[in-house]
Amino acid sequence: MADPMRIRAQAQGGNAVVRVLMSHEMETGQRKDAAGKTIPAWHITEVNAALNGKPVLSAQWGPAISKNPFLQFTVKGAKAGDKISVTWVDNKGDKRTDEATVA
Amino acid sequence: MLMNKFAIACALGSLCTLQVQAQQSSSSSADAIAQYRAMLADGNPAELFEAKGEELWKTRRGPKNASLERCDLGKGPGVVKGVFVELPRYFADTGRVQDLESRLLSCMETLQGLDAKQIAATAFGRDEQKNLEGLVAWISAESRGLKFNLPQSHPQEQKMYAVGKRLFFFRGGPYDFACASCHSEEGKRIRLQDLPNLTKNPGDGVGFAAWPAYRVSSGELWGMQRRLNDCFRQQRFPFPGYASDVTVALATYMGVNSKGSVSIAPSIKR
């Protein structure tokens, strides 16, 4: 099971600014280990965010995103007390969902 | 490569301004690096390590199935807030001056029954060493914003400072190199990286006051032990060993010099 995300959501002038830190190796599949063997690709392929269960963002990611990615986005019309959930799926089929309340 | 990744990750964030590509002409390389760090600081992945560390502190582990909550880091068993800015210090129970990492080893051994020698011999970033990364991230974060104030009242602490100073200026190895070769005057740099003068107080959040740190280039969290290990590597010196007296002496020297400076650890480095 993957480590939890850190999600902060702050209300700002009728919107909410959401900051997400994900814990992931984001291995590109291009690197070799000490023995010269290729380290297989292992990275997030899909990120989805929802406001009170309604999808507001979906992204397709690949090996170009850095290790332990940071994602920031603004949700229109979100207010304090609303629930923001973020889900990622990686190419091994592992997934993780975390939720935060807009403050 | 990193810039590419950054630009893509950035493009996903609607508030992100891509000033990196529209670089103002006036700023020096140091300003540009400072700007880059400021942009990254908001999403410092060290936070992920902090969360892991807090959990590890409270989790029962090891042969004795105990947590680290009774660990005395210098302000009594279980006190975490404010301890980091007073380490290394002398501990009566071990009879040694210890930094955060060597002290954690003692606690892991006495409280949890883990093998400190084995952990010290483990490669950085593996097994228990990985757990130490989380612990140092969280414990240092609990002292964020506080000023360094290492104790120097015990003779052993004074001795460690004196030894650390000698080590700092000790030249040797194939390059006839010392810590002081890079870190004893103002305005030196390696490539684009400004080097702090560590023979005096380099200021808030600079030098000793910036570690542990998350290194973007390797995607890892480095404690002071790993930072020093890399300094020795760059000098083409053998590493004196994880949590060895040599490393603690150097940390004492830098820490005492940083008296009064604010800790920003765990910070973010390129």
Side-chain angles (χ1 to χ4, degrees):
Chain A
M1 187 63 193
D3 289 322
M5 285 178 246
R6 307 281 280 179
I7 306 175
R8 284 173 298 166
Q10 286 169 311
Q12 255 181 32
N15 302 328
V17 176
V18 184
R19 296 179 177 89
V20 190
L21 264 174
M22 306 171 199
S23 182
H24 204 284
E25 285 295 323
M26 299 299 286
E27 196 57 67
T28 63
Q30 306 286 332
R31 297 198 314 155
K32 293 184 170 61
D33 64 13
K37 275 182 41 204
T38 302
I39 305 166
W42 177 30
H43 54 78
I44 292 170
T45 52
E46 255 181 81
V47 180
N48 292 293
L51 170 69
N52 299 326
K54 180 175 150 281
V56 288
L57 175 145
S58 74
Q60 294 184 330
W61 280 10
I65 306 288
S66 71
K67 184 169 170 176
N68 299 325
F70 172 67
L71 169 68
Q72 178 176 312
F73 56 93
T74 308
V75 183
K76 273 188 188 164
K79 56 197 183 298
D82 284 355
K83 294 257 185 288
I84 301 270
S85 71
V86 180
T87 304
W88 59 251
V89 183
D90 70 20
N91 64 335
K92 290 185 181 177
D94 195 8
K95 53 164 46 158
R96 168 104 216 167
T97 301
D98 290 281
E99 197 175 68
T101 308
V102 179
Chain B
M1 182 70 196
L2 183 67
M3 274 305 174
N4 267 344
K5 289 193 172 194
F6 185 59
I8 292 162
C10 224
L12 296 164
S14 54
L15 280 189
C16 219
T17 49
L18 282 176
Q19 285 170 313
V20 179
Q21 285 162 1
Q23 193 57 261
Q24 296 96 0
S25 53
S26 64
S27 72
S28 75
S29 55
D31 290 344
I33 290 173
Q35 194 182 32
Y36 162 72
R37 280 193 191 149
M39 288 168 87
L40 283 172
D42 194 28
N44 184 354
E47 248 187 79
L48 299 164
F49 290 82
E50 288 169 37
K52 239 185 271 187
E54 183 172 11
E55 198 180 333
L56 278 163
W57 180 260
K58 295 167 182 172
T59 308
R60 292 158 161 271
R61 298 190 323 119
K64 293 187 180 177
N65 192 30
S67 77
L68 286 166
E69 284 160 304
R70 301 296 302 153
C71 180
D72 180 357
L73 296 168
K75 287 181 174 287
V79 181
V80 176
K81 200 166 172 49
V83 292
F84 179 70
V85 288
E86 294 182 20
L87 288 167
R89 74 187 307 153
Y90 177 79
F91 289 90
D93 57 357
T94 53
R96 287 182 59 205
V97 175
Q98 294 180 289
D99 69 344
L100 175 57
E101 287 165 271
S102 60
R103 188 61 188 169
L104 281 169
L105 284 187
S106 301
C107 286
M108 288 160 104
E109 184 155 274
T110 50
L111 297 171
Q112 300 181 309
L114 297 162
D115 184 349
K117 264 203 179 63
Q118 195 194 333
I119 300 170
T122 305
F124 287 109
R126 298 252 173 92
D127 311 327
E128 285 298 332
Q129 282 284 350
K130 209 172 185 63
N131 293 334
L132 277 165
E133 288 175 6
L135 287 164
V136 299
W138 178 63
I139 294 163
S140 62
E142 288 290 291
S143 294
R144 195 183 267 129
L146 301 177
K147 290 175 173 159
F148 275 99
N149 188 18
L150 272 66
Q152 275 286 282
S153 53
H154 195 280
Q156 283 294 331
E157 288 163 350
Q158 293 158 16
K159 185 173 147 191
M160 275 307 219
Y161 179 85
V163 171
K165 186 172 185 175
R166 287 188 60 175
L167 286 162
F168 195 88
F169 287 93
F170 179 81
R171 280 168 64 167
Y175 288 8
D176 195 24
F177 222 66
C179 305
S181 308
C182 293
H183 290 290
S184 65
E185 36 183 309
E186 313 299 315
K188 285 232 172 198
R189 58 184 175 81
I190 295 180
R191 301 191 199 103
L192 295 180
Q193 196 61 60
D194 290 301
L195 299 164
N197 179 352
L198 301 174
T199 62
K200 56 189 236 338
N201 190 337
D204 291 347
V206 183
F208 192 77
W211 296 89
Y214 180 83
R215 292 204 76 167
V216 179
S217 50
S218 59
E220 289 158 331
L221 192 119
W222 284 23
M224 184 42 69
Q225 286 290 331
R226 191 158 183 185
R227 172 63 269 185
L228 286 172
N229 170 276
D230 203 50
C231 291
F232 280 102
R233 182 191 62 79
Q234 290 176 70
Q235 293 181 80
R236 276 59 173 184
F237 255 34
F239 183 56
Y242 188 91
S244 61
D245 280 347
V246 170
T247 58
V248 174
L250 281 166
T252 305
Y253 174 68
M254 293 186 285
V256 171
N257 287 349
S258 284
K259 188 185 171 77
S261 279
V262 172
S263 169
I264 59 162
S267 70
I268 189 158
K269 298 279 187 187
R270 71 179 159 79

mmCIF file of all heavy atoms in Angstrom, chain B residues 173-211:
data_model
loop_
_atom_site.group_PDB
_atom_site.id
_atom_site.type_symbol
_atom_site.label_atom_id
_atom_site.label_comp_id
_atom_site.label_asym_id
_atom_site.label_seq_id
_atom_site.Cartn_x
_atom_site.Cartn_y
_atom_site.Cartn_z
ATOM 1 N N GLY B 173 44.295 13.710 1.910
ATOM 2 C CA GLY B 173 43.711 13.029 0.768
ATOM 3 C C GLY B 173 44.417 13.419 -0.520
ATOM 4 O O GLY B 173 45.304 14.274 -0.524
ATOM 5 N N PRO B 174 44.030 12.780 -1.635
ATOM 6 C CA PRO B 174 44.727 12.991 -2.918
ATOM 7 C C PRO B 174 44.631 14.433 -3.423
ATOM 8 O O PRO B 174 45.446 14.855 -4.229
ATOM 9 C CB PRO B 174 44.016 12.022 -3.869
ATOM 10 C CG PRO B 174 42.734 11.664 -3.207
ATOM 11 C CD PRO B 174 42.975 11.779 -1.743
ATOM 12 N N TYR B 175 43.634 15.199 -2.950
ATOM 13 C CA TYR B 175 43.486 16.582 -3.409
ATOM 14 C C TYR B 175 43.996 17.594 -2.382
ATOM 15 O O TYR B 175 43.825 18.787 -2.575
ATOM 16 C CB TYR B 175 42.014 16.879 -3.724
ATOM 17 C CG TYR B 175 41.492 16.226 -4.980
ATOM 18 C CD1 TYR B 175 42.256 15.303 -5.674
ATOM 19 C CD2 TYR B 175 40.229 16.525 -5.467
ATOM 20 C CE1 TYR B 175 41.779 14.694 -6.817
ATOM 21 C CE2 TYR B 175 39.748 15.922 -6.616
ATOM 22 C CZ TYR B 175 40.528 15.009 -7.290
ATOM 23 O OH TYR B 175 40.037 14.412 -8.423
ATOM 24 N N ASP B 176 44.585 17.083 -1.287
ATOM 25 C CA ASP B 176 45.059 17.965 -0.225
ATOM 26 C C ASP B 176 43.969 18.961 0.153
ATOM 27 O O ASP B 176 44.130 20.172 0.050
ATOM 28 C CB ASP B 176 46.332 18.698 -0.672
ATOM 29 C CG ASP B 176 47.037 19.332 0.527
ATOM 30 O OD1 ASP B 176 46.826 18.845 1.650
ATOM 31 O OD2 ASP B 176 47.783 20.303 0.339
ATOM 32 N N PHE B 177 42.879 18.421 0.598
ATOM 33 C CA PHE B 177 41.630 19.131 0.710
ATOM 34 C C PHE B 177 41.159 19.159 2.155
ATOM 35 O O PHE B 177 41.379 18.216 2.899
ATOM 36 C CB PHE B 177 40.611 18.305 -0.096
ATOM 37 C CG PHE B 177 39.686 19.111 -0.940
ATOM 38 C CD1 PHE B 177 40.166 19.831 -2.014
ATOM 39 C CD2 PHE B 177 38.323 19.109 -0.667
ATOM 40 C CE1 PHE B 177 39.289 20.547 -2.808
ATOM 41 C CE2 PHE B 177 37.449 19.820 -1.465
ATOM 42 C CZ PHE B 177 37.923 20.537 -2.533
ATOM 43 N N ALA B 178 40.490 20.226 2.579
ATOM 44 C CA ALA B 178 39.834 20.282 3.876
ATOM 45 C C ALA B 178 38.434 20.840 3.685
ATOM 46 O O ALA B 178 38.144 21.426 2.643
ATOM 47 C CB ALA B 178 40.606 21.178 4.828
ATOM 48 N N CYS B 179 37.578 20.692 4.700
ATOM 49 C CA CYS B 179 36.261 21.334 4.648
ATOM 50 C C CYS B 179 36.476 22.824 4.385
ATOM 51 O O CYS B 179 35.752 23.454 3.616
ATOM 52 C CB CYS B 179 35.529 21.191 5.980
ATOM 53 S SG CYS B 179 35.345 19.513 6.585
ATOM 54 N N ALA B 180 37.530 23.358 5.052
ATOM 55 C CA ALA B 180 37.824 24.789 4.979
ATOM 56 C C ALA B 180 38.214 25.238 3.564
ATOM 57 O O ALA B 180 38.109 26.421 3.239
ATOM 58 C CB ALA B 180 38.930 25.143 5.960
ATOM 59 N N SER B 181 38.658 24.308 2.714
ATOM 60 C CA SER B 181 39.010 24.680 1.336
ATOM 61 C C SER B 181 37.825 25.354 0.645
ATOM 62 O O SER B 181 38.008 26.269 -0.161
ATOM 63 C CB SER B 181 39.429 23.457 0.529
ATOM 64 O OG SER B 181 40.431 22.736 1.192
ATOM 65 N N CYS B 182 36.620 24.869 0.939
ATOM 66 C CA CYS B 182 35.423 25.427 0.302
ATOM 67 C C CYS B 182 34.656 26.355 1.226
ATOM 68 O O CYS B 182 33.979 27.270 0.769
ATOM 69 C CB CYS B 182 34.467 24.312 -0.126
ATOM 70 S SG CYS B 182 35.085 23.274 -1.439
ATOM 71 N N HIS B 183 34.729 26.088 2.531
ATOM 72 C CA HIS B 183 33.784 26.727 3.445
ATOM 73 C C HIS B 183 34.424 27.654 4.470
ATOM 74 O O HIS B 183 33.978 27.699 5.606
ATOM 75 C CB HIS B 183 32.959 25.656 4.166
ATOM 76 C CG HIS B 183 31.979 24.945 3.280
ATOM 77 N ND1 HIS B 183 30.860 25.548 2.768
ATOM 78 C CD2 HIS B 183 31.960 23.675 2.799
ATOM 79 C CE1 HIS B 183 30.181 24.683 2.037
ATOM 80 N NE2 HIS B 183 30.832 23.532 2.027
ATOM 81 N N SER B 184 35.503 28.360 4.092
ATOM 82 C CA SER B 184 36.107 29.252 5.093
ATOM 83 C C SER B 184 36.232 30.688 4.616
ATOM 84 O O SER B 184 36.838 31.507 5.291
ATOM 85 C CB SER B 184 37.481 28.726 5.505
ATOM 86 O OG SER B 184 38.353 28.763 4.400
ATOM 87 N N GLU B 185 35.715 31.029 3.449
ATOM 88 C CA GLU B 185 35.652 32.439 3.066
ATOM 89 C C GLU B 185 34.364 32.769 2.346
ATOM 90 O O GLU B 185 33.674 31.882 1.852
ATOM 91 C CB GLU B 185 36.884 32.847 2.236
ATOM 92 C CG GLU B 185 37.399 31.800 1.298
ATOM 93 C CD GLU B 185 38.664 32.238 0.555
ATOM 94 O OE1 GLU B 185 38.656 33.338 -0.038
ATOM 95 O OE2 GLU B 185 39.628 31.470 0.536
ATOM 96 N N GLU B 186 34.082 34.065 2.281
ATOM 97 C CA GLU B 186 32.859 34.527 1.643
ATOM 98 C C GLU B 186 32.997 34.445 0.122
ATOM 99 O O GLU B 186 34.103 34.513 -0.416
ATOM 100 C CB GLU B 186 32.588 36.003 2.007
ATOM 101 C CG GLU B 186 32.715 36.338 3.481
ATOM 102 C CD GLU B 186 31.740 35.578 4.346
ATOM 103 O OE1 GLU B 186 30.560 35.497 3.963
ATOM 104 O OE2 GLU B 186 32.161 35.045 5.388
ATOM 105 N N GLY B 187 31.862 34.341 -0.542
ATOM 106 C CA GLY B 187 31.839 34.529 -1.982
ATOM 107 C C GLY B 187 32.425 33.400 -2.812
ATOM 108 O O GLY B 187 32.724 33.573 -3.975
ATOM 109 N N LYS B 188 32.628 32.231 -2.195
ATOM 110 C CA LYS B 188 33.110 31.095 -2.986
ATOM 111 C C LYS B 188 31.916 30.340 -3.549
ATOM 112 O O LYS B 188 30.843 30.350 -2.970
ATOM 113 C CB LYS B 188 33.905 30.135 -2.098
ATOM 114 C CG LYS B 188 35.278 30.644 -1.754
ATOM 115 C CD LYS B 188 36.312 29.600 -2.087
ATOM 116 C CE LYS B 188 37.706 30.165 -1.942
ATOM 117 N NZ LYS B 188 38.706 29.380 -2.624
ATOM 118 N N ARG B 189 32.118 29.690 -4.659
ATOM 119 C CA ARG B 189 31.053 28.832 -5.153
ATOM 120 C C ARG B 189 31.626 27.656 -5.921
ATOM 121 O O ARG B 189 32.770 27.690 -6.391
ATOM 122 C CB ARG B 189 30.069 29.611 -6.023
ATOM 123 C CG ARG B 189 30.679 30.298 -7.210
ATOM 124 C CD ARG B 189 29.617 31.123 -7.941
ATOM 125 N NE ARG B 189 30.188 31.900 -9.029
ATOM 126 C CZ ARG B 189 30.470 31.404 -10.228
ATOM 127 N NH1 ARG B 189 30.266 30.134 -10.491
ATOM 128 N NH2 ARG B 189 30.985 32.171 -11.170
ATOM 129 N N ILE B 190 30.824 26.580 -6.037
ATOM 130 C CA ILE B 190 31.141 25.472 -6.922
ATOM 131 C C ILE B 190 30.127 25.560 -8.044
ATOM 132 O O ILE B 190 28.925 25.514 -7.792
ATOM 133 C CB ILE B 190 31.023 24.107 -6.216
ATOM 134 C CG1 ILE B 190 32.064 23.992 -5.123
ATOM 135 C CG2 ILE B 190 31.173 22.969 -7.217
ATOM 136 C CD1 ILE B 190 32.041 22.680 -4.372
ATOM 137 N N ARG B 191 30.585 25.709 -9.272
ATOM 138 C CA ARG B 191 29.693 25.969 -10.401
ATOM 139 C C ARG B 191 28.779 27.141 -10.023
ATOM 140 O O ARG B 191 29.263 28.232 -9.793
ATOM 141 C CB ARG B 191 28.906 24.715 -10.780
ATOM 142 C CG ARG B 191 29.817 23.555 -11.153
ATOM 143 C CD ARG B 191 29.030 22.413 -11.769
ATOM 144 N NE ARG B 191 29.816 21.176 -11.701
ATOM 145 C CZ ARG B 191 29.596 20.226 -10.830
ATOM 146 N NH1 ARG B 191 28.624 20.344 -9.958
ATOM 147 N NH2 ARG B 191 30.325 19.139 -10.831
ATOM 148 N N LEU B 192 27.475 26.901 -9.919
ATOM 149 C CA LEU B 192 26.565 28.004 -9.613
ATOM 150 C C LEU B 192 26.120 28.002 -8.157
ATOM 151 O O LEU B 192 25.243 28.746 -7.765
ATOM 152 C CB LEU B 192 25.320 27.915 -10.515
ATOM 153 C CG LEU B 192 25.590 28.102 -11.997
ATOM 154 C CD1 LEU B 192 24.299 27.990 -12.784
ATOM 155 C CD2 LEU B 192 26.217 29.466 -12.249
ATOM 156 N N GLN B 193 26.745 27.122 -7.387
ATOM 157 C CA GLN B 193 26.282 26.944 -6.020
ATOM 158 C C GLN B 193 27.115 27.770 -5.053
ATOM 159 O O GLN B 193 28.309 27.529 -4.907
ATOM 160 C CB GLN B 193 26.393 25.450 -5.670
ATOM 161 C CG GLN B 193 25.623 25.049 -4.466
ATOM 162 C CD GLN B 193 24.143 25.285 -4.626
ATOM 163 O OE1 GLN B 193 23.500 24.745 -5.508
ATOM 164 N NE2 GLN B 193 23.590 26.118 -3.758
ATOM 165 N N ASP B 194 26.496 28.777 -4.417
ATOM 166 C CA ASP B 194 27.210 29.565 -3.420
ATOM 167 C C ASP B 194 27.525 28.712 -2.206
ATOM 168 O O ASP B 194 26.707 27.902 -1.779
ATOM 169 C CB ASP B 194 26.358 30.768 -3.002
ATOM 170 C CG ASP B 194 26.266 31.781 -4.119
ATOM 171 O OD1 ASP B 194 27.333 32.264 -4.541
ATOM 172 O OD2 ASP B 194 25.137 32.067 -4.580
ATOM 173 N N LEU B 195 28.721 28.906 -1.661
ATOM 174 C CA LEU B 195 29.147 28.107 -0.519
ATOM 175 C C LEU B 195 29.140 28.963 0.748
ATOM 176 O O LEU B 195 29.759 30.021 0.775
ATOM 177 C CB LEU B 195 30.557 27.561 -0.752
ATOM 178 C CG LEU B 195 30.706 26.643 -1.969
ATOM 179 C CD1 LEU B 195 32.162 26.485 -2.334
ATOM 180 C CD2 LEU B 195 30.066 25.302 -1.696
ATOM 181 N N PRO B 196 28.445 28.503 1.779
ATOM 182 C CA PRO B 196 28.438 29.273 3.017
ATOM 183 C C PRO B 196 29.784 29.178 3.737
ATOM 184 O O PRO B 196 30.464 28.154 3.654
ATOM 185 C CB PRO B 196 27.327 28.622 3.841
ATOM 186 C CG PRO B 196 27.200 27.239 3.303
ATOM 187 C CD PRO B 196 27.588 27.309 1.853
ATOM 188 N N ASN B 197 30.157 30.263 4.422
ATOM 189 C CA ASN B 197 31.349 30.232 5.262
ATOM 190 C C ASN B 197 30.956 29.631 6.605
ATOM 191 O O ASN B 197 30.277 30.272 7.402
ATOM 192 C CB ASN B 197 31.885 31.659 5.446
ATOM 193 C CG ASN B 197 33.113 31.688 6.340
ATOM 194 O OD1 ASN B 197 33.490 30.685 6.933
ATOM 195 N ND2 ASN B 197 33.737 32.844 6.450
ATOM 196 N N LEU B 198 31.402 28.404 6.853
ATOM 197 C CA LEU B 198 30.963 27.687 8.049
ATOM 198 C C LEU B 198 31.895 27.873 9.241
ATOM 199 O O LEU B 198 31.684 27.291 10.293
ATOM 200 C CB LEU B 198 30.802 26.185 7.725
ATOM 201 C CG LEU B 198 29.805 25.861 6.606
ATOM 202 C CD1 LEU B 198 29.822 24.373 6.273
ATOM 203 C CD2 LEU B 198 28.391 26.296 6.974
ATOM 204 N N THR B 199 32.923 28.705 9.074
ATOM 205 C CA THR B 199 33.825 28.967 10.205
ATOM 206 C C THR B 199 33.241 30.048 11.111
ATOM 207 O O THR B 199 33.771 30.334 12.172
ATOM 208 C CB THR B 199 35.213 29.436 9.724
ATOM 209 O OG1 THR B 199 35.056 30.668 9.004
ATOM 210 C CG2 THR B 199 35.851 28.397 8.819
ATOM 211 N N LYS B 200 32.162 30.681 10.650
ATOM 212 C CA LYS B 200 31.443 31.638 11.482
ATOM 213 C C LYS B 200 29.946 31.344 11.342
ATOM 214 O O LYS B 200 29.589 30.309 10.794
ATOM 215 C CB LYS B 200 31.779 33.066 11.066
ATOM 216 C CG LYS B 200 31.515 33.360 9.588
ATOM 217 C CD LYS B 200 32.068 34.711 9.224
ATOM 218 C CE LYS B 200 31.080 35.682 8.618
ATOM 219 N NZ LYS B 200 29.879 35.237 7.983
ATOM 220 N N ASN B 201 29.094 32.259 11.815
ATOM 221 C CA ASN B 201 27.661 32.037 11.676
ATOM 222 C C ASN B 201 27.194 32.518 10.301
ATOM 223 O O ASN B 201 27.208 33.708 10.029
ATOM 224 C CB ASN B 201 26.913 32.797 12.776
ATOM 225 C CG ASN B 201 25.456 32.409 12.822
ATOM 226 O OD1 ASN B 201 24.906 31.940 11.830
ATOM 227 N ND2 ASN B 201 24.828 32.587 13.974
ATOM 228 N N PRO B 202 26.787 31.586 9.403
ATOM 229 C CA PRO B 202 26.395 32.011 8.059
ATOM 230 C C PRO B 202 24.985 32.612 7.993
ATOM 231 O O PRO B 202 24.597 33.121 6.945
ATOM 232 C CB PRO B 202 26.484 30.722 7.230
ATOM 233 C CG PRO B 202 26.372 29.616 8.212
ATOM 234 C CD PRO B 202 26.755 30.129 9.567
ATOM 235 N N GLY B 203 24.225 32.567 9.108
ATOM 236 C CA GLY B 203 22.914 33.217 9.139
ATOM 237 C C GLY B 203 21.740 32.253 9.168
ATOM 238 O O GLY B 203 21.901 31.039 9.100
ATOM 239 N N ASP B 204 20.539 32.838 9.274
ATOM 240 C CA ASP B 204 19.305 32.049 9.370
ATOM 241 C C ASP B 204 19.138 31.122 8.172
ATOM 242 O O ASP B 204 19.207 31.566 7.032
ATOM 243 C CB ASP B 204 18.084 32.983 9.429
ATOM 244 C CG ASP B 204 18.023 33.771 10.733
ATOM 245 O OD1 ASP B 204 18.774 33.421 11.663
ATOM 246 O OD2 ASP B 204 17.250 34.737 10.798
ATOM 247 N N GLY B 205 18.892 29.861 8.456
ATOM 248 C CA GLY B 205 18.551 28.919 7.400
ATOM 249 C C GLY B 205 19.634 28.674 6.373
ATOM 250 O O GLY B 205 19.362 28.192 5.285
ATOM 251 N N VAL B 206 20.880 28.995 6.717
ATOM 252 C CA VAL B 206 21.991 28.760 5.787
ATOM 253 C C VAL B 206 22.973 27.785 6.430
ATOM 254 O O VAL B 206 23.202 27.830 7.630
ATOM 255 C CB VAL B 206 22.719 30.085 5.438
ATOM 256 C CG1 VAL B 206 23.824 29.851 4.406
ATOM 257 C CG2 VAL B 206 21.732 31.118 4.918
ATOM 258 N N GLY B 207 23.581 26.939 5.622
ATOM 259 C CA GLY B 207 24.582 26.000 6.125
ATOM 260 C C GLY B 207 23.965 24.983 7.070
ATOM 261 O O GLY B 207 22.987 24.321 6.727
ATOM 262 N N PHE B 208 24.511 24.887 8.277
ATOM 263 C CA PHE B 208 24.048 23.893 9.249
ATOM 264 C C PHE B 208 22.551 24.036 9.534
ATOM 265 O O PHE B 208 21.871 23.049 9.816
ATOM 266 C CB PHE B 208 24.849 24.038 10.546
ATOM 267 C CG PHE B 208 24.661 22.886 11.501
ATOM 268 C CD1 PHE B 208 25.305 21.676 11.280
ATOM 269 C CD2 PHE B 208 23.849 23.010 12.619
ATOM 270 C CE1 PHE B 208 25.139 20.605 12.157
ATOM 271 C CE2 PHE B 208 23.673 21.938 13.510
ATOM 272 C CZ PHE B 208 24.323 20.747 13.269
ATOM 273 N N ALA B 209 22.031 25.250 9.419
ATOM 274 C CA ALA B 209 20.631 25.530 9.750
ATOM 275 C C ALA B 209 19.662 25.138 8.640
ATOM 276 O O ALA B 209 18.469 25.392 8.744
ATOM 277 C CB ALA B 209 20.460 27.009 10.099
ATOM 278 N N ALA B 210 20.171 24.516 7.557
ATOM 279 C CA ALA B 210 19.299 24.119 6.447
ATOM 280 C C ALA B 210 19.175 22.606 6.307
ATOM 281 O O ALA B 210 18.463 22.114 5.436
ATOM 282 C CB ALA B 210 19.816 24.708 5.143
ATOM 283 N N TRP B 211 19.882 21.850 7.148
ATOM 284 C CA TRP B 211 19.846 20.390 7.050
ATOM 285 C C TRP B 211 19.195 19.798 8.262
ATOM 286 O O TRP B 211 19.303 20.377 9.330
ATOM 287 C CB TRP B 211 21.275 19.850 6.883
ATOM 288 C CG TRP B 211 21.856 20.315 5.614
ATOM 289 C CD1 TRP B 211 22.556 21.476 5.426
ATOM 290 C CD2 TRP B 211 21.781 19.673 4.327
ATOM 291 N NE1 TRP B 211 22.911 21.586 4.099
ATOM 292 C CE2 TRP B 211 22.457 20.505 3.415
ATOM 293 C CE3 TRP B 211 21.211 18.480 3.870
ATOM 294 C CZ2 TRP B 211 22.567 20.173 2.059
ATOM 295 C CZ3 TRP B 211 21.323 18.155 2.541
ATOM 296 C CH2 TRP B 211 21.990 18.996 1.647
#
